Amino acid sequence: MRNKTTKIALIILSGLVLYSCSLVKRVPEGKHLLEKVDITVNGEKKNEDALKDLLYQQPNSDLLGYHLRLHMYNLATPNADSSYHAWLDRKPGRHERMRKLLSEKQVQRLSKSFIVSGFSNFLKKTGEPPVIIDISRVKKSRNRLFAYYYKQGYFRAGAGFRIDTLPDKRASITYDVITGKPYILDSINAYIETPALDSLYNRTQKASVIKKGQQYNEVNFTAERERITNYFRNHGAYYFQQNNVTYIVDTIGNDYKANIDLIVDNESVRQGDSTYVRPFKLYKISKVNIYTTNPTSENQAIDSTSYNGFNVYSTGKLNYRPKAITDAVFVTPGSTYSDFRRTYTSRSLSNLRVFNYPSIQYVEDPNDPTGESLITNITLTPRKKFRFNATADFMHSNIQDFGISGSLGITMRNVFRGAETLDISTRGNIGSSRDPAINDKAFFNILEYGADLKLTFPRIFFPISTERLVRKEMIPSTVMSLGTSRQQNIGLDKENFTGILSYNWTPKRNRTAKLDLFNIQYIRNVNPDKYFKVYKSSYDRLNDIAQLYPAIPDSYLNDKGNLDIDNGGADNFIKDVKSNDIAVSKNDKESINSIDERRNRLTENNLIFATNYTFTTSSRENLNDNTFFIFKTKVESAGALLSLLGGTVVDPNGSNQGRTIFNVAYSQYLKGELDFIKHWDLRRGKVLAMRAFFGLAVPYGNSNSIPFTRSYFAGGSNDNRGWQPYSLGPGSSGGINDFNEANLKMAYSAELRFNIFGKLNGALFGDVGNIWNVFDVVKEKDKTFNGLQSFKDLAFGSGLGFRYDFNFFVVRFDVGFKTYDPGRDEGERWFKGYNLSKSVLNVGINYPF
């Protein structure tokens, strides 16, 4: 035993020595690999990312402690081309034999091949060279640290560094900063030469970012400069710039106080070779000229019109109603010049989707003797009136082994001369399935096709004015859409019809609102008699119960002794049990009733007449911002309006009463959702992301359950990745149905994202969640939410993933494991599904949240 322990220790020690030596393989003699960097401030060690980002040199990146990219770089041959030529000349006659076998040109080209130098070049490009300590960069890093604290008011700070050498050509660096006491702002005085600007400043002085008693911080002074500039430019000061605001900081004395002078000089105007100074002017808009073209017009004469004070010009016949354009313009004649009006105008004109990015220019009005007026010239370049779209894709899913999908669409702009956009599209999919429920044995035996029509208005389309509620600076739009689709040999072969009237607007920056005033969906199941062929798990459970009772008539069974689907054996068995013609146990009868209830729910036609409101807010500034949150909430009500119109019909089975429209019972429910996403930037390519979701749909009135299309499911590439879609829950039932869904959902996911090398990224993730039935017809305890005790039904999936970034989209491969499975017996739930054979491969496009 002692010998084995010794051998194991020697093997581990040898591995560590080899690993250590390989890291410094490319470090020259006399140089040192940067092993560690410490920053101490006033004797206290700091580990803040803001400080580390100031350093010119940091240790090589690692993946969970392993320097993968450094090892890749060290594996590369330093000069593969030269090594190849040295190999050719090492043995007499080798070069000549290679030349005779190939040719001299091919022999030389071999040096550039992937085998000789390409692989090494790949390793160098993908890998990371060793970070070798450079004393000049160390000094620059020290100076940066000093400047960082100096800008925060530590004017008497000091910074230094020391380099500690370690064995095996390694070293660490420690930066030491002594800040001293910070300077505090004392008096703040403003000296503004232009009286008009001085008056504006006094109006907004209370909103100043810099205040007496604050610690000096250069960030605040920059913010105050931006605030003043924005305020002045939004109140007529067209020529005012940030560099017109300067500061004088007086720190004379030893009391650690700073006196501030805020100075705004007059405008400096360059005229020819000379420069003169004059007070800043506050400009008003005298004219607004809008220029556009009609690309379809053969007559290039200028067409012009005036509307509400705007001058609209067109090269060729004006192809737009003036109001459609001027409603999107916030720069109005007689208004004071302001940057925000220009920004709103640019956004609103772009949102029309009929013009390219607009050009907005200002020139001084030569007819104004005071020189305080500007003419606004807006140039609009129309987009093409028609745009054709075509897509094609190949796919594989749990429904089809192989499929081909495609779509054709056309976009028509400015349909009614009011900047409206009409989108018409058709789509189709043919696929191959080996499902035994499909009688057609041709290779392509499943089909789905559909068409959509969408009309977009760049305003609120409503009988009465909504300007007070939704102002035009909120960039409102109205979308009307109609759609239809049809399936063949897919499930119950659904026909789907949809109609939506939707309003969208942006109340504030990074906030969006959407109101679906009408969201109508009608779903017709063409072949409901195929239910037991499609939902095999329901049939298997029913058939297992039937096998327990030999008194079943032979006419209900097929040749194999199982319930016959085609000849109605399964249906007749259910009817006889419910009418007590066949006696079964109480538990079996409850199970049969549950199977029948589910069948009735999934085969019935659905009419959903809903209204919903969605509000989204985000703190993300741009695509490179990796520290942000997104919060979305949605409320939906279905059937409330129809309840005032629908008549009453009695169910032939006498089980309940339902109100109908066009002989279809409509759905009634209330639904609410909360969705929260949060990202933290951990620097150096690492991001921690999380998502929390809660959704509840409660049926009432005409419904005792939620339509399948509006219910919740769990599992899949964007949910709990340890389970396939629809295979988790409800509760602890173990996903016994083919498609498991319910009306209550809780989910929480977190993942650590990191860069492996190049555009290949990795992730470690954990997903928690489940679905339950509540306030509906389902009463089984293992499927329903029963208070706090149901939290033990929360499933936990974990795993790892790889993502490749193609810039425009991300391809994602996640491998999930069932870490805690509530569908198993208690005591058997942890890690029983934690092996590769039971893992779930999730393939997705872009990140899950």
Side-chain angles (χ1 to χ4, degrees):
M1 182 67 182
R2 184 177 300 174
N3 290 335
K4 287 184 179 180
T5 304
T6 304
K7 289 179 180 179
I8 293 173
L10 286 173
I11 292 172
I12 295 174
L13 183 61
S14 300
L16 291 174
V17 170
L18 290 173
Y19 172 78
S20 177
C21 293
S22 62
L23 289 178
V24 296
K25 183 178 180 180
R26 304 298 180 197
V27 177
E29 291 297 330
K31 301 293 184 179
H32 296 89
L33 176 72
L34 180 56
E35 175 80 7
K36 185 181 179 183
V37 174
D38 289 323
I39 301 174
T40 64
V41 179
N42 298 326
E44 182 182 351
K45 186 176 179 180
K46 297 289 185 179
N47 198 34
E48 300 170 8
D49 290 328
L51 293 177
K52 291 182 178 179
D53 288 344
L54 298 173
L55 305 180
Y56 281 89
Q57 286 188 304
Q58 294 191 47
N60 287 95
S61 62
D62 64 87
L63 179 62
L64 303 178
Y66 181 75
H67 297 283
L68 175 63
R69 295 184 64 190
L70 176 56
H71 278 289
M72 292 179 67
Y73 185 89
N74 288 342
L75 285 174
T77 303
N79 299 297
D81 190 13
S82 301
S83 299
Y84 169 74
H85 286 96
W87 174 80
L88 281 178
D89 300 333
R90 192 173 300 151
K91 288 186 178 181
R94 177 180 286 172
H95 193 153
E96 183 65 18
R97 288 194 301 272
M98 293 283 289
R99 186 184 64 79
K100 290 179 179 180
L101 180 64
L102 302 172
S103 69
E104 182 61 28
K105 184 178 181 180
Q106 289 177 325
V107 170
Q108 296 301 323
R109 288 180 64 183
L110 272 175
S111 66
K112 305 297 183 183
S113 68
F114 181 80
I115 297 175
V116 175
S117 60
F119 184 62
S120 289
N121 291 336
F122 167 77
L123 291 174
K124 289 180 182 179
K125 182 179 179 180
T126 307
E128 185 179 72
V131 179
I132 299 172
I133 293 178
D134 183 340
I135 191 65
S136 64
R137 292 191 172 191
V138 174
K139 291 179 179 179
K140 289 180 180 179
S141 298
R142 174 200 60 190
N143 294 341
R144 271 189 172 182
L145 287 170
F146 167 76
Y148 176 81
Y149 283 98
Y150 184 90
K151 292 177 181 179
Q152 294 186 48
Y154 297 99
F155 297 146
R156 300 183 184 182
F161 67 87
R162 70 176 185 274
I163 300 175
D164 299 318
T165 57
L166 303 171
D168 300 322
K169 296 191 289 187
R170 307 180 190 213
S172 65
I173 303 175
T174 301
Y175 294 94
D176 296 303
V177 179
I178 304 298
T179 63
K181 289 177 60 177
Y183 276 75
I184 305 300
L185 303 186
D186 193 13
S187 63
I188 302 174
N189 299 302
Y191 300 93
I192 302 175
E193 293 190 44
T194 302
L197 296 187
D198 186 52
S199 177
L200 286 175
Y201 176 80
N202 290 331
R203 241 189 267 171
T204 185
Q205 188 175 4
K206 291 183 178 179
S208 175
V209 180
I210 55 176
K211 299 181 182 296
K212 182 177 180 178
Q214 283 181 345
Q215 179 177 327
Y216 177 92
N217 194 323
E218 190 172 295
V219 171
N220 294 336
F221 283 76
T222 302
E224 176 66 3
R225 182 183 284 114
E226 292 177 354
R227 187 192 71 83
I228 292 173
T229 302
N230 290 337
Y231 190 81
F232 286 175
R233 288 185 60 84
N234 284 327
H235 288 78
Y238 174 65
Y239 289 108
F240 195 87
Q241 302 295 328
Q242 284 193 27
N243 58 13
N244 294 126
V245 180
T246 59
Y247 301 99
I248 294 178
V249 182
D250 182 8
T251 59
I252 296 176
N254 295 320
D255 55 358
Y256 290 94
K257 292 184 178 180
N259 299 315
I260 309 301
D261 290 339
L262 186 154
I263 300 173
V264 178
D265 294 325
N266 280 333
E267 179 185 3
S268 179
V269 181
R270 187 176 183 84
Q271 190 174 43
D273 296 331
S274 61
T275 302
Y276 68 94
V277 175
R278 70 179 185 189
F280 279 97
K281 297 179 180 180
L282 302 184
Y283 289 88
K284 288 186 174 294
I285 305 300
S286 60
K287 295 180 182 179
V288 179
N289 300 321
I290 303 173
Y291 300 92
T292 184
T293 59
N294 184 350
T296 62
S297 177
E298 296 180 0
N299 180 14
Q300 295 301 308
I302 301 298
D303 186 13
S304 64
T305 186
S306 294
Y307 182 81
N308 283 351
F310 295 93
N311 302 316
V312 184
Y313 301 91
S314 174
T315 304
K317 185 179 178 180
L318 182 62
N319 205 26
Y320 308 89
R321 292 200 304 272
K323 185 178 187 304
I325 300 177
T326 58
D327 276 357
V329 177
F330 293 83
V331 182
T332 57
S335 64
T336 301
Y337 168 82
S338 62
D339 277 351
F340 79 87
R341 293 181 185 274
R342 178 177 183 173
T343 301
Y344 279 146
T345 300
S346 180
R347 287 175 54 198
S348 187
L349 288 171
S350 297
N351 190 64
L352 295 179
R353 295 176 58 201
V354 296
F355 301 110
N356 293 320
Y357 192 80
S359 170
I360 304 175
Q361 304 292 331
Y362 296 88
V363 295
E364 292 191 29
D365 189 346
N367 298 321
D368 183 1
T370 65
E372 295 181 350
S373 296
L374 294 174
I375 297 175
T376 307
N377 295 317
I378 302 174
T379 304
L380 303 175
T381 304
R383 295 184 182 183
K384 292 182 179 180
K385 184 174 181 64
F386 298 99
R387 185 186 70 182
F388 294 92
N389 304 304
T391 64
D393 197 8
F394 301 96
M395 63 185 66
H396 168 79
S397 69
N398 58 341
I399 296 177
Q400 54 190 348
D401 301 312
F402 175 74
I404 303 174
S405 66
S407 67
L408 290 173
I410 182 173
T411 298
M412 292 177 278
R413 297 185 174 92
N414 196 37
V415 181
F416 306 118
R417 298 182 65 244
E420 304 87 358
T421 303
L422 178 64
D423 294 290
I424 302 174
S425 63
T426 60
R427 62 188 186 278
N429 171 64
I430 57 174
S432 173
S433 175
R434 290 174 290 182
D435 190 338
I438 300 177
N439 295 324
D440 187 352
K441 300 306 177 185
F443 181 76
F444 288 112
N445 56 359
I446 63 176
L447 173 66
E448 184 173 8
Y449 54 89
D452 298 286
L453 183 147
K454 183 174 74 171
L455 179 61
T456 303
F457 298 86
R459 54 193 172 274
I460 297 295
F461 190 84
F462 201 70
I464 60 176
S465 174
T466 59
E467 178 67 25
R468 290 186 178 182
L469 295 175
V470 183
R471 301 182 304 276
K472 69 176 187 176
E473 57 263 31
M474 296 181 182
I475 319 295
S477 65
T478 303
V479 178
M480 299 179 181
S481 66
L482 295 172
T484 181
S485 64
R486 175 73 157 81
Q487 296 175 338
Q488 183 176 323
N489 288 336
I490 301 177
L492 302 180
D493 297 340
K494 296 180 184 296
E495 291 180 344
N496 189 31
F497 303 91
T498 59
I500 299 174
L501 173 60
S502 177
Y503 300 104
N504 305 270
W505 65 95
T506 306
K508 291 184 179 180
R509 186 171 178 269
N510 291 336
R511 296 181 183 180
T512 60
K514 178 182 179 182
L515 172 65
D516 285 357
L517 187 60
F518 302 119
N519 189 315
I520 306 169
Q521 184 178 27
Y522 172 62
I523 302 169
R524 175 176 174 262
N525 292 298
V526 179
N527 295 308
D529 55 320
K530 292 171 55 178
Y531 176 81
F532 284 121
K533 290 184 177 181
V534 174
Y535 295 90
K536 298 181 182 63
S537 62
S538 293
Y539 171 76
D540 291 340
R541 289 164 57 203
L542 182 67
N543 188 60
D544 289 343
I545 295 173
Q547 300 304 315
L548 300 176
Y549 301 94
I552 296 176
D554 292 339
S555 60
Y556 292 3
L557 306 176
N558 58 24
D559 295 338
K560 296 181 180 180
N562 297 318
L563 288 174
D564 196 323
I565 299 176
D566 294 326
N567 296 320
D571 294 337
N572 291 330
F573 175 65
I574 293 175
K575 290 179 182 178
D576 288 350
V577 170
K578 297 183 73 172
S579 63
N580 296 321
D581 290 337
I582 295 179
V584 297
S585 69
K586 181 180 179 181
N587 289 338
D588 287 342
K589 188 171 184 177
E590 289 179 354
S591 297
I592 292 172
N593 287 335
S594 175
I595 292 171
D596 190 45
E597 173 66 34
R598 179 173 171 81
R599 180 183 62 162
N600 291 335
R601 189 164 73 86
L602 297 184
T603 58
E604 69 180 358
N605 299 330
N606 293 126
L607 176 60
I608 304 170
F609 200 110
T611 298
N612 63 63
Y613 174 77
T614 305
F615 180 79
T616 305
T617 180
S618 172
S619 65
R620 192 169 195 179
E621 298 293 334
N622 51 62
L623 292 176
N624 296 320
D625 183 6
N626 286 324
T627 298
F628 64 92
F629 74 86
I630 300 173
F631 177 71
K632 182 169 73 173
T633 182
K634 179 180 180 180
V635 292
E636 180 172 306
S637 173
L641 179 61
L642 291 185
S643 66
L644 302 177
L645 306 175
T648 301
V649 64
V650 179
D651 187 351
N653 295 323
S655 60
N656 55 56
Q657 278 193 334
R659 299 171 68 86
T660 65
I661 294 290
F662 306 120
N663 293 323
V664 178
Y666 55 86
S667 300
Q668 281 188 288
Y669 62 84
L670 295 173
K671 187 177 184 179
E673 294 179 355
L674 300 174
D675 195 352
F676 180 73
I677 295 173
K678 174 65 178 175
H679 286 206
W680 291 272
D681 191 345
L682 304 181
R683 312 288 180 171
R684 305 194 74 180
K686 296 185 180 70
V687 174
L688 178 62
M690 60 79 68
R691 180 195 181 200
F693 177 87
F694 177 85
L696 172 64
V698 180
Y700 73 96
N702 213 42
S703 301
N704 56 16
S705 61
I706 303 300
F708 183 85
T709 57
R710 302 298 172 98
S711 59
Y712 298 110
F713 70 92
S717 60
N718 294 325
D719 195 69
N720 198 318
R721 285 161 280 188
W723 280 260
Q724 296 281 6
Y726 291 98
S727 66
L728 172 60
S732 59
S733 64
I736 58 176
N737 294 314
D738 298 278
F739 298 93
N740 298 279
E741 39 74 44
N743 63 328
L744 169 64
K745 180 174 181 177
M746 298 182 193
Y748 177 84
S749 295
E751 65 178 34
L752 176 64
R753 302 167 184 168
F754 49 86
N755 178 257
I756 298 176
F757 55 77
K759 294 185 178 182
L760 180 63
N761 299 298
L764 298 174
F765 62 82
D767 303 317
V768 179
N770 207 334
I771 55 174
W772 294 267
N773 290 94
V774 63
F775 306 128
D776 67 359
V777 72
V778 178
K779 301 302 179 185
E780 290 95 330
K781 190 174 181 180
D782 59 344
K783 295 181 180 180
T784 56
F785 186 81
N786 303 296
L788 294 178
Q789 61 178 329
S790 291
F791 283 103
K792 66 181 180 181
D793 298 338
L794 288 169
F796 178 34
S798 60
L800 55 91
F802 299 93
R803 292 87 188 273
Y804 193 86
D805 190 348
F806 287 94
N807 294 327
F808 296 103
F809 62 93
V810 175
V811 176
R812 174 166 52 92
F813 299 91
D814 291 334
V815 180
F817 298 90
K818 296 177 179 64
T819 309
Y820 177 82
D821 186 354
R824 290 177 173 269
D825 294 333
E826 291 192 31
E828 297 290 325
R829 295 180 174 183
W830 283 102
F831 300 107
K832 294 301 180 181
Y834 216 89
N835 59 70
L836 199 58
S837 64
K838 297 181 180 180
S839 64
V840 176
L841 175 62
N842 299 274
V843 180
I845 301 297
N846 294 327
Y847 290 102
F849 49 87

